[in-house]
Amino acid sequence: MYLSRFLSIHALWVTVSSVMQPYPLVWGHYDLCKTQIYTEEGKVWDYMACQPESTDMTKYLKVKLDPPDITCGDPPETFCAMGNPYMCNNECDASTPELAHPPELMFDFEGRHPSTFWQSATWKEYPKPLQVNITLSWSKTIELTDNIVITFESGRPDQMILEKSLDYGRTWQPYQYYATDCLDAFHMDPKSVKDLSQHTVLEIICTEEYSTGYTTNSKIIHFEIKDRFAFFAGPRLRNMASLYGQLDTTKKLRDFFTVTDLRIRLLRPAVGEIFVDELHLARYFYAISDIKVRGRCKCNLHATVCVYDNSKLTCECEHNTTGPDCGKCKKNYQGRPWSPGSYLPIPKGTANTCIPSISSIGTNVCDNELLHCQNGGTCHNNVRCLCPAAYTGILCEKLRCEEAGSCGSDSGQGAPPHGSPALLLLLTTLLGTASPLVF
């Protein structure tokens, strides 16, 4: 009784899942790789494009500072308040937990009080530049889905560059420049994202929007992912189908939002004046209380789950794919070249499932749907074709006389039809299949 009830509930759930499936996908979630549907032939798998949910990626990163000894507190030192150079009773001491400001405090899940932050040494070696590289690495390709937000506990830097890498830090390219004076700092005219358009969305700009002001509510620097999305999806991102369509057809656009590493280059601390006050250098330093990076593992639309194990992110690949990014077909599933999934057509996309190689069909020699026995042969237990007396071969595709070299015009057995050898037959059948194979 319990078994029959369970089977009934399971059948109902499968039906409900099939019916409900299109609704979340209309919004571009792509949160299922396959679902069971009912056809005239019975219950079969319906494959679709899929991707992991967007999440807080700072939980999985590794941070590196250059120079490595730039963090304050070793030796201990005092620093002054930005707004009041005579208030210098703050202390940084790496040997005392309450006074230490190590780099991991940029990513801790703090409450509102007390505020925790990383802090650099002060600019005591002026006029030598006070510069810091903060590198965030994932050892995995990720796709950014929301603004990168950096919250400073000090004043926002007078000069800064945000950079990205797509090859695990081997090469870098600028994402955005930040300065109080873009022309002076980087020989660039100042712009904001609002000055861009669909056609210039990939332009690298210098902005002065986040480099002025030292009050409590002006400590944040943005790299505006959502504003760039809005050029395609509308101001409230309601037309995600349009954005996904653009990402699908424009590789440069998709790569723009894809990274393996980010690097924050702090080039000049907040001065707040035209000239550096050399009598109070302890007021100049960098301090960051929070960095937000939201995104998802890049799995090439072949996985909905990305696992974190042994300090490493890996896609749990479906569609017969494998690799850290599901970037290749599994062994014995290379019947056609690997391809990423596609967001199109909306809402399910296209799975582009890897299909079995001809050499890996193995014991499943024939069936009644794909690998038909030829010339009147019949399939026996999916392992061999029972051929008529005049034919032989895996699929009964050869004349016996041809194998013996005795076919002739007087034998009553002509040559086999053009294009019927097993290899050609299997290639045509496998590569021309409209729906994915199910094994």
Side-chain angles (χ1 to χ4, degrees):
M1 179 180 72
Y2 292 107
L3 178 60
S4 61
R5 182 176 298 176
F6 170 80
L7 292 174
S8 299
I9 293 173
H10 176 71
L12 178 61
W13 169 247
V14 169
T15 304
V16 171
S17 299
S18 302
V19 172
M20 292 182 67
Q21 181 61 29
Y23 289 96
L25 292 178
V26 168
W27 303 102
H29 288 184
Y30 296 92
D31 52 0
L32 285 177
C33 293
K34 62 185 179 182
T35 186
Q36 287 186 318
I37 61 173
Y38 290 92
T39 67
E40 292 181 357
E41 288 76 29
K43 191 165 58 176
V44 298
W45 285 112
D46 180 30
Y47 293 89
M48 58 203 75
C50 54
Q51 63 186 4
E53 287 290 332
S54 176
T55 188
D56 176 8
M57 298 304 296
T58 61
K59 296 180 290 186
Y60 311 112
L61 63 76
K62 294 179 181 177
V63 60
K64 183 180 77 171
L65 270 58
D66 184 28
D69 59 350
I70 194 63
T71 299
C72 69
D74 186 16
E77 63 177 315
T78 57
F79 57 94
C80 308
M82 182 69 204
N84 186 349
Y86 301 100
M87 194 173 77
C88 301
N89 57 351
N90 300 311
E91 186 176 2
C92 180
D93 185 350
S95 64
T96 306
E98 293 79 10
L99 300 176
H101 297 284
E104 55 264 27
L105 295 183
M106 290 185 278
F107 313 103
D108 62 326
F109 296 95
E110 62 187 18
R112 290 184 62 86
H113 303 288
S115 179
T116 58
F117 52 92
W118 163 80
Q119 183 173 312
S120 75
T122 59
W123 205 0
K124 52 184 176 289
E125 295 185 15
Y126 178 86
K128 180 182 177 181
L130 180 63
Q131 298 183 347
V132 185
N133 286 344
I134 303 172
T135 303
L136 315 180
S137 301
W138 283 273
S139 300
K140 172 79 181 74
T141 312
I142 66 170
E143 297 171 331
L144 302 174
T145 60
D146 206 339
N147 293 357
I148 298 170
V149 183
I150 306 169
T151 304
F152 283 83
E153 193 64 23
S154 61
R156 296 182 291 193
D158 282 356
Q159 296 176 16
M160 182 187 116
I161 308 174
L162 179 65
E163 297 177 325
K164 62 170 284 189
S165 176
L166 260 173
D167 55 10
Y168 304 97
R170 287 187 288 273
T171 61
W172 295 91
Q173 51 191 292
Y175 238 169
Q176 192 148 295
Y177 295 87
Y178 301 81
T180 52
D181 187 333
C182 285
L183 198 58
D184 178 64
F186 301 115
H187 309 291
M188 300 172 69
D189 291 324
K191 281 188 178 182
S192 73
V193 174
K194 298 178 181 63
D195 298 321
L196 301 178
S197 67
Q198 282 192 13
H199 302 293
T200 60
V201 69
L202 303 184
E203 181 182 345
I204 308 303
I205 66 171
C206 178
T207 179
E208 297 175 357
E209 187 175 352
Y210 302 108
S211 301
T212 56
Y214 305 99
T215 59
T216 303
N217 61 355
S218 61
K219 294 183 175 182
I220 294 176
I221 284 180
H222 284 263
F223 179 69
E224 306 92 337
I225 297 288
K226 282 192 168 181
D227 285 349
R228 288 171 168 85
F229 285 167
F231 290 124
F232 306 100
R236 296 189 179 181
L237 304 184
R238 289 180 173 175
N239 188 8
M240 291 300 289
S242 174
L243 172 63
Y244 281 129
Q246 290 292 334
L247 291 172
D248 208 70
T249 55
T250 312
K251 185 179 185 297
K252 286 185 178 180
L253 181 64
R254 197 164 177 177
D255 285 349
F256 184 81
F257 300 109
T258 304
V259 304
T260 58
D261 307 76
L262 290 169
R263 185 163 68 183
I264 302 164
R265 294 183 59 197
L266 304 172
L267 303 180
R268 179 181 170 89
V271 173
E273 301 164 349
I274 297 176
F275 301 105
V276 173
D277 181 358
E278 296 187 46
L279 297 177
H280 301 96
L281 294 176
R283 66 188 288 203
Y284 305 125
F285 54 88
Y286 305 105
I288 296 177
S289 61
D290 192 47
I291 298 177
K292 285 186 171 62
V293 182
R294 193 166 184 86
R296 62 169 58 92
C297 290
K298 179 182 178 181
C299 301
N300 284 297
L301 296 180
H302 288 311
T304 59
V305 176
C306 194
V307 295
Y308 188 62
D309 188 34
N310 293 324
S311 301
K312 191 174 181 180
L313 284 166
T314 307
C315 301
E316 285 196 348
C317 303
E318 305 224 26
H319 303 156
N320 300 323
T321 61
T322 189
D325 300 344
C326 307
K328 59 183 180 180
C329 291
K330 289 166 61 176
K331 183 181 180 181
N332 298 331
Y333 284 88
Q334 296 158 346
R336 62 183 173 198
W338 174 90
S339 178
S342 169
Y343 287 114
L344 302 175
I346 302 294
K348 289 186 176 184
T350 306
N352 291 329
T353 307
C354 291
I355 65 174
S357 310
I358 293 173
S359 60
S360 68
I361 294 173
T363 58
N364 192 32
V365 169
C366 56
D367 56 44
N368 293 320
E369 294 181 1
L370 179 63
L371 303 176
H372 294 280
C373 297
Q374 305 299 302
N375 298 306
T378 57
C379 185
H380 178 69
N381 293 335
N382 297 110
V383 296
R384 65 190 180 96
C385 289
L386 300 177
C387 304
Y391 291 91
T392 187
I394 296 175
L395 297 177
C396 309
E397 75 281 2
K398 294 181 181 178
L399 286 165
R400 289 188 180 276
C401 65
E402 181 188 45
E403 194 170 69
S406 59
C407 290
S409 57
D410 59 347
S411 67
Q413 297 176 344
H418 179 71
S420 65
L423 182 60
L424 177 60
L425 171 66
L426 292 178
L427 279 172
T428 304
T429 309
L430 286 171
L431 300 182
T433 303
S435 59
L437 289 180
V438 180
F439 284 87

